[in-house]
Amino acid sequence: MGYTIAEKILLDHSNLKEISPGQFIDCNIDFIMVHEQLGGRIHKEYEKLGIDYVWDPDKIFFILDHWVPAPTISAAQMHQDCRKFAEKYKFIHNFGYQLDKGICHQVLPEMGFSRPGMLIVGSDSHTTTYGAFNNLATGIGATDVSVVFATGKLWFRVPESFKIIMSGEFNKGVMSKDFILTLIGNISTKGAIYKSLEFHGQGAKTLSIDGRMTVSNMVVEAGAKFGIFLPDKKLETWLAKRTKEPYKLITPDKESVYEKILEYNLSEITPVVAKPSNPGNLARIEEVEGIEIDQAFLGRCSNGRMEDLQIAAKIIKGNSVDPKTRLIIIPASKEIYKEALQEGLIEIFINAGAAVGNSTCGPCIGGHLGVLGSEEICISSTNRNFKGRMGHPTSEVYLASPATVAYSALKGKISDPREVL
Amino acid sequence: MLEKIDGFAYILGDDINTDDIVPSHTLTMRDTHEMAKCTLEFIDPHFAKNIDQGNIIIAGENFGTGSSREEAVNVFKVLGIKAIIAKSFARIYFRNLINLGIPGITVNWNEKTFSKGDNLEISLKEGLIFNKTKSSKLEFEKLPKFLTKILEDGGILNQLKKNLEN
């Protein structure tokens, strides 16, 4: 028998000679990301242990991104608690003061900390994003973070794996967001609980790194623990610009065993949305076209990258946002913001009437910079549309690709971007 | 922990997510008791007040889907929830439950199995839920030893503290 990617990397990080799905094992963690949760529950839990050190201050990445800059007194207090902790335990990668960096899942890979073969955990469910870089990465709670801070180890249940074989190529106006929403809708939000998803095939190679990050980001909405892409030239080129650290490319063994094999021809994927209030509530764009919107939001760790801003700019250039619709655009990091500035994208957005914000999670969690009022409808490139997620409990969120969000903002209603692309 | 757990059923549906349990606007609150007052507020505004009448949660599929926010377990702990029974749990939520020392029991059930307010007795050791109100029994797959050990130690931090001291 052979090993899947998840099995290979977990085995590599354990002291065992062999492992199999369902087994509980202890693994050594390579790197851990924490954000505002540090000032939420983590610092309180950690102090209970009564130790005055962390296992390795060089393997901890701390950034503030959810409420940045602080929109309320309570958020400001939380930030203070975070910074105190990071200083007390002498974190090396401490971005508690640099509010301009961006969203954790974008900044960490940009800085070269997400490399093939690694085992990374983070205090955020969308930590799965790093799987785009051929590693294992997953979200954990505050108590698990405390365990890693103290010992550098964590327990894992070895997951069963799904093999997703992708062929073909997207047609114009279709993006990786449409693919992942389709997958989640097909298998449901509980369809991959505790599973590791591996993305195979020529189709996967046609996706940009940006697009792969969107897919890995949202596997958690189907319940998955990991969402891993196989390595290729595109990945190595990306990494060469970001890091000089060595890494080990991981491919599954030929005889590896998968619980399920799913096949997708990307040329058959069409624009879709997830209707309120569940990311698995899939509908073809034709079923929801014409629904009037109050707000359109383009941003977040799911879709605030260059590929996303470029397609939005292509649609928006020379046009105006519908007069009764608010368009909010938030690049996922400062690096992206600068690149978008240099390419003239930000000017296109501002001229069309969009509000362009500093890089933060902001509206996605109903935090700030675009909270929804009662019964308002938003089309959003974010990853969750739970009841009350972006504001008032009677507001509604449709999840869609950046292209669909941008074109809908111009029309003031949910619209099919293939009309203009 | 492996002794019998006695309490009253509170019924919830499928896909109850972490935003339902602790809405985002509560996440920057420093006082966990204040936060706990808002538990499930969009689903049942009186949940936190009436906790004595339902301190064992019975839920459907995919309970705790969404964020890694451990507050979504901690508010139940603060309110005195003794156990959560669900048809299935979201991965991070299940870890957080066990890590904080609250038993999570995975078992299939239907509307005939439990009603709101039923008096239940759970034995983790035997893998059995006894519904005293309905005089019925429901077996479930016992938790693996690795996890019951964490529950017995009163959560993973207590376990770790013990190990660090030795």
Side-chain angles (χ1 to χ4, degrees), chain A residues 56-258:
Chain A
D56 191 341
D58 196 26
K59 290 183 177 169
I60 300 169
F61 181 95
F62 160 56
I63 193 163
L64 294 173
D65 62 1
H66 275 54
W67 294 272
V68 170
T72 59
I73 294 170
S74 61
Q77 298 297 136
M78 180 184 241
H79 288 174
Q80 284 182 0
D81 291 340
C82 291
R83 292 187 195 107
K84 263 185 220 157
F85 188 98
E87 275 166 27
K88 179 175 172 186
Y89 293 96
K90 302 187 170 56
F91 288 4
I92 309 284
H93 312 289
N94 175 355
F95 305 106
Y97 290 96
Q98 284 112 302
L99 300 184
D100 59 339
K101 287 290 247 194
I103 301 173
C104 58
H105 302 313
Q106 186 61 33
V107 178
L108 188 149
E110 278 174 1
M111 295 184 76
F113 291 119
S114 172
R115 300 184 294 273
M118 289 176 80
L119 178 57
I120 307 175
V121 289
S123 68
D124 189 284
S125 56
H126 294 110
T127 301
T128 53
T129 310
Y130 315 143
F133 302 92
N134 188 231
N135 59 41
L136 292 192
T138 197
I140 56 173
T143 297
D144 273 335
V145 170
S146 300
V147 172
V148 177
F149 277 3
T151 65
K153 294 181 199 299
L154 198 64
W155 66 267
F156 288 89
R157 180 187 168 280
V158 180
E160 296 81 10
S161 295
F162 287 3
K163 183 178 190 176
I164 321 283
I165 305 170
M166 298 156 79
S167 60
E169 204 165 343
F170 291 131
N171 289 312
K172 270 189 183 169
V174 183
M175 303 185 73
S176 62
K177 182 60 158 267
D178 297 302
F179 164 70
I180 188 66
L181 287 174
T182 302
L183 176 65
I184 297 163
N186 289 349
I187 66 173
S188 91
T189 46
K190 66 180 173 78
I193 292 179
Y194 244 106
K195 310 299 179 192
S196 172
L197 306 193
E198 270 180 26
F199 295 96
H200 288 243
Q202 285 304 316
K205 290 185 181 169
T206 67
L207 264 57
S208 65
I209 299 296
D210 286 2
R212 295 176 199 182
M213 289 172 80
T214 300
V215 172
S216 295
N217 177 279
M218 286 194 68
V219 296
V220 67
E221 311 318 331
K225 175 177 191 160
F226 304 123
I228 319 155
F229 278 80
L230 272 65
D232 65 357
K233 279 265 147 26
K234 261 186 205 170
L235 175 64
E236 291 190 70
T237 309
W238 201 95
L239 287 165
K241 286 186 218 155
R242 316 279 169 169
T243 180
K244 290 192 171 68
E245 294 287 323
Y247 54 80
K248 190 165 128 192
L249 300 174
I250 311 289
T251 49
D253 291 333
K254 276 207 176 106
E255 313 79 30
S256 52
V257 179
Y258 295 93

Side-chain angles (χ1 to χ4, degrees), chain A residues 24-26 35 37 40-41 44-46 48-51 53 67 72 74-75 77-78 80-81 84 122-125 138-144 146-147 150-151 154-157 189-190 193-195 220-221 223-225 277-278 364-367 384 386-389 391-393, chain B residues 14-20 23-32 35 41-43 60-75 77-78 87-92 94-96 98-100 143-147 150 155-162 164-165:
Chain A
F24 288 90
I25 61 171
D26 273 317
H35 51 40
Q37 260 295 328
R41 281 185 49 75
K44 290 180 203 156
E45 294 301 298
Y46 201 70
K48 287 182 193 165
L49 290 173
I51 50 177
Y53 60 87
W67 294 272
T72 59
S74 61
Q77 298 297 136
M78 180 184 241
Q80 284 182 0
D81 291 340
K84 263 185 220 157
S123 68
D124 189 284
S125 56
T138 197
I140 56 173
T143 297
D144 273 335
S146 300
V147 172
T151 65
L154 198 64
W155 66 267
F156 288 89
R157 180 187 168 280
T189 46
K190 66 180 173 78
I193 292 179
Y194 244 106
K195 310 299 179 192
V220 67
E221 311 318 331
K225 175 177 191 160
S277 298
N278 180 316
C364 176
I365 49 160
R384 290 200 174 121
F386 299 149
K387 187 177 181 182
R389 170 80 177 182
H392 195 278
Chain B
D14 289 341
D15 289 309
I16 298 297
N17 63 63
T18 50
D19 286 62
D20 290 327
S24 300
H25 76 90
T26 68
L27 285 181
T28 54
M29 288 179 181
R30 281 177 141 188
D31 182 347
T32 33
M35 191 187 285
E41 67 176 5
F42 296 157
I43 291 176
E61 300 280 5
N62 204 17
F63 187 75
T65 182
S67 162
S68 62
R69 59 183 75 160
E70 197 174 78
E71 288 85 348
V73 172
N74 198 48
V75 286
K77 194 174 178 176
V78 168
K87 291 177 188 169
S88 60
F89 286 96
R91 183 191 75 85
I92 304 175
F94 184 74
R95 282 189 78 102
N96 288 345
I98 300 294
N99 282 342
L100 289 189
L143 288 169
K145 274 198 183 123
F146 183 88
L147 301 182
I150 298 173
I156 202 162
L157 283 191
N158 284 335
Q159 191 178 72
L160 175 61
K161 203 170 169 189
K162 219 164 64 184
L164 289 170
E165 282 161 4

Side-chain angles (χ1 to χ4, degrees), chain A residues 222-327:
Chain A
K225 175 177 191 160
F226 304 123
I228 319 155
F229 278 80
L230 272 65
D232 65 357
K233 279 265 147 26
K234 261 186 205 170
L235 175 64
E236 291 190 70
T237 309
W238 201 95
L239 287 165
K241 286 186 218 155
R242 316 279 169 169
T243 180
K244 290 192 171 68
E245 294 287 323
Y247 54 80
K248 190 165 128 192
L249 300 174
I250 311 289
T251 49
D253 291 333
K254 276 207 176 106
E255 313 79 30
S256 52
V257 179
Y258 295 93
E259 189 180 292
K260 264 188 197 169
I261 296 176
L262 303 168
E263 293 186 37
Y264 281 90
N265 184 339
L266 300 186
S267 69
E268 290 168 8
I269 304 284
T270 57
V272 292
V273 301
K275 292 188 290 184
S277 298
N278 180 316
N281 198 7
L282 180 69
R284 298 173 61 211
I285 191 103
E286 292 85 351
E287 298 171 58
V288 292
E289 251 183 314
I291 293 175
E292 288 187 13
I293 54 169
D294 300 286
Q295 182 168 300
F297 173 45
L298 173 53
R300 179 65 169 167
C301 57
S302 47
N303 284 107
R305 287 176 271 276
M306 277 314 285
E307 175 179 282
D308 308 322
L309 301 182
Q310 281 162 344
I311 196 158
K314 198 171 166 189
I315 293 168
I316 290 171
K317 192 174 184 181
N319 294 303
S320 295
V321 174
D322 174 77
K324 285 190 172 173
T325 303
R326 315 179 294 264
L327 172 60

